Amino acid sequence: MIGQKNREVSLLSRKVEAFALNLLHLIRAVRVYPAKHPTLVEVAQNVLNSAPLDPQGSITIGITSKELVISGEFIAGKASSLASMLHARKVLRLLWTKDATLEDVYAFARVLSIPKLEGDALRQKLRSEVFAIDIEPLRLDQIHGEITDAVKDSE
């Protein structure tokens, strides 16, 4: 049973890594190629085809500074570059559904390629253009606001 579990985990890891590489390639390509260029269409199709959707047709990927987190598994390796880029853009979580189209994938990559757009501003821009792909912004000010210097007495 453990061997079966390890194979499943490694299969998920490989799928997420392939998806991450494809998505990162597209984000970089939209900076270089004009809209509707055949290369962009091909790469966007690769992203769409490689999305590791769950049986319900969606995926939620958590973001750390060097890893993508899915189904409790921390995936680094080839996924590290995308994780680092999304983390730097203050993305806590990526949400993707089976309803994503080529146009959604392209628009998502184009918005992510905009320099210095991060967190809530990134989410607002995405929501104005894409409906089947979303992010949850990382709100460090909210997290830091909940940290106190007070020591609680355990009694």
Side-chain angles (χ1 to χ4, degrees):
M1 185 67 180
I2 292 174
Q4 175 72 19
K5 179 72 172 162
N6 287 340
R7 277 194 295 273
E8 290 172 9
V9 169
S10 64
L11 178 60
L12 176 62
S13 179
R14 285 194 307 267
K15 285 182 176 183
V16 172
E17 285 181 340
F19 173 72
L21 289 173
N22 287 329
L23 183 54
L24 194 59
H25 184 183
L26 182 61
I27 293 166
R28 291 176 177 159
V30 297
R31 295 177 188 162
V32 177
Y33 295 102
K36 305 296 180 190
H37 188 280
T39 298
L40 288 181
V41 173
E42 180 182 342
V43 176
Q45 188 65 55
N46 289 343
V47 172
L48 199 57
N49 292 343
S50 66
L53 302 175
D54 65 18
Q56 291 75 36
S58 64
I59 186 170
T60 300
I61 301 174
I63 312 298
T64 73
S65 61
K66 297 189 190 287
E67 299 166 311
L68 300 178
V69 184
I70 182 167
S71 299
E73 183 179 348
F74 288 76
I75 302 166
K78 296 175 184 174
S80 293
S81 294
L82 180 64
S84 295
M85 190 266 292
L86 292 174
H87 187 265
R89 304 298 289 284
K90 297 192 175 33
V91 175
L92 177 65
R93 195 175 356 231
L94 172 64
L95 307 127
W96 193 287
T97 71
K98 65 182 176 194
D99 300 323
T101 64
L102 273 177
E103 290 77 20
D104 290 331
V105 172
Y106 174 77
F108 180 76
R110 190 178 43 71
V111 170
L112 279 173
S113 74
I114 299 170
K116 300 186 181 183
L117 193 58
E118 61 184 37
D120 286 315
L122 176 61
R123 185 181 209 186
Q124 185 176 5
K125 179 71 173 161
L126 278 171
R127 285 188 163 183
S128 71
E129 299 189 31
V130 182
F131 302 103
I133 307 168
D134 196 8
I135 64 157
E136 182 179 340
L138 175 61
R139 295 185 175 105
L140 292 174
D141 56 333
Q142 195 175 43
I143 294 168
H144 292 161
E146 294 176 11
I147 298 173
T148 65
D149 291 333
V151 177
K152 293 185 179 184
D153 192 3
S154 62
E155 293 178 18

